Amino acid sequence: MPLPGWALTHTGKTVEVLHSPDGGNCAFFMLTGIRQADPVVPNGQWFAVPQTHVGYKEMLAILMVARLDGRPITVVTTGDIACGHAGVAAILF
């Protein structure tokens, strides 16, 4: 899947916090050791997956399994803001 040149990839990180969707219709999470998810939100540690993302349910399932099992994941950002935080394009085991 081609991504914009400004997208970032965080590889081999574990899910530190997973937050359910809020009124902005996004699920939020933080990765261990990441102090800035994407420069689009300076010093912002949170990632956001909008419910409108075509893979929203699958991404949320991956996040839950990764959090429960402590399995590392790879997260690719969009380079854009989603619900006030770094948007997510893809999550991979």
Side-chain angles (χ1 to χ4, degrees), residues 7-32:
L8 293 179
T9 301
H10 300 281
T11 304
K13 302 296 181 183
T14 56
V15 179
E16 185 174 340
V17 178
L18 178 58
H19 190 286
S20 60
D22 68 354
N25 297 316
C26 284
F28 305 96
F29 65 97
M30 290 173 51
L31 298 176
T32 302

Side-chain angles (χ1 to χ4, degrees), residues 33-93:
I34 300 298
R35 299 297 158 232
Q36 180 172 281
D38 191 295
V40 71
V41 182
N43 301 313
Q45 297 175 297
W46 289 94
F47 296 85
V49 181
Q51 289 179 333
T52 56
H53 191 294
V54 67
Y56 174 79
K57 290 179 182 178
E58 293 80 4
M59 286 188 201
L60 198 53
I62 290 171
L63 287 167
M64 287 188 279
V65 169
R67 176 69 177 121
L68 289 171
D69 290 349
R71 291 179 60 180
I73 59 173
T74 296
V75 175
V76 181
T77 66
T78 62
D80 291 320
I81 295 174
C83 297
H85 301 283
V88 174
I91 300 174
L92 313 161
F93 266 128

